[in-house]
């Protein structure tokens, strides 16, 4: 099963991934409307991507009282018709993988299994890869590091 993986050490902070995402899903070139958030630490000199990790036991799914979020295969899907935009999913996600902007809930849907952001990432900081033990362990370490911040 494939997942979207991030490699922060390769990210330059160009935000082309977020621009491509916002254009595809909202018809606007606005990185704040992309499902990927790039955070830059000017002092430590690094960029890190925040995107939905498509958790197996997703907090966002658990807290949604309208059942607007559900897991389908390896992707957490949001039903626009059921969503009341209460933002509980935004608050519940420990990895900042769901956010809101101008009243819209923004969450990666992996573009139906062919993420456009990966195609626009020229440095390989985003990859659509098959899950492996090595990648799973790396992902857990990254999630653990994010939770410590």
């Amino acid at each position: 099963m494939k997942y979207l993986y991030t490699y922060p050490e390769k990210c330059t902070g160009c935000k082309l991934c977020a621009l491509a995402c916002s254009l595809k899903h909202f018809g606007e070139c606005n990185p704040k409307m992309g499902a990927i958030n790039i955070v830059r630490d000017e002092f430590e000199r690094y960029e890190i991507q925040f995107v939905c990790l498509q958790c197996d036991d997703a907090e966002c799914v658990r807290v949604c009282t309208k059942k607007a979020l559900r897991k389908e295969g390896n992707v957490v899907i949001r039903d626009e018709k059921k969503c009341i935009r209460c933002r509980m999913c935004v608050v519940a996600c420990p990895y900042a993988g769901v956010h809101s902007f101008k009243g819209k809930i923004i969450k990666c849907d992996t573009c139906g299994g062919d993420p456009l952001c990966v195609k626009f990432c020229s440095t390989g900081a985003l990859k659509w890869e098959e899950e492996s033990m090595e990648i799973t362990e790396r992902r857990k370490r990254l999630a653990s590091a994010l939770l410590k911040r």
Side-chain angles (χ1 to χ4, degrees):
M1 202 173 279
K2 286 187 167 184
Y3 288 93
L4 179 62
Y5 292 103
T6 62
Y7 293 83
E9 68 277 11
K10 295 180 178 179
C11 183
T12 63
C14 70
K15 299 185 181 183
L16 283 177
C17 53
L19 288 170
C21 181
S22 72
L23 184 60
K24 177 174 182 162
H25 293 285
F26 299 105
E28 293 182 35
C29 282
N30 183 344
K32 292 181 179 178
M33 296 183 78
I36 298 176
N37 279 319
I38 310 296
V39 175
R40 174 176 285 170
D41 186 319
E42 299 289 342
F43 300 106
E44 298 291 329
R45 294 182 170 218
Y46 69 88
E47 288 82 20
I48 188 165
Q49 311 101 324
F50 290 93
V51 65
C52 178
L53 299 179
Q54 313 297 345
C55 301
D56 289 334
D57 190 21
E59 290 294 326
C60 60
V61 173
R62 194 181 345 239
V63 301
C64 183
T65 60
K66 298 298 178 185
K67 307 291 183 210
L69 293 166
R70 67 184 185 288
K71 185 86 180 205
E72 268 186 28
N74 61 340
V75 180
V76 175
I77 302 292
R78 189 175 71 87
D79 186 332
E80 179 73 28
K81 293 176 185 168
K82 290 183 178 178
C83 181
I84 60 171
R85 292 160 196 75
C86 66
R87 300 177 22 107
M88 287 303 295
C89 54
V90 175
V91 173
C93 180
Y95 307 110
V98 185
H99 68 278
S100 66
F101 184 73
K102 292 185 177 178
K104 298 179 190 297
I105 303 297
I106 301 170
K107 186 205 149 309
C108 178
D109 64 359
T110 71
C111 296
D114 189 22
L116 186 62
C117 56
V118 173
K119 295 173 183 171
F120 278 81
C121 182
S122 63
T123 63
L126 295 172
K127 293 184 179 178
W128 182 241
E129 299 177 309
E130 289 288 339
E131 186 174 30
S132 69
M133 286 298 283
E134 179 185 341
I135 290 176
T136 300
E137 288 303 316
R138 184 185 169 284
R139 185 178 181 187
K140 287 180 181 176
R141 286 193 307 271
L142 180 61
S144 178
L146 290 173
L147 291 175
K148 289 179 183 175
R149 292 181 185 251

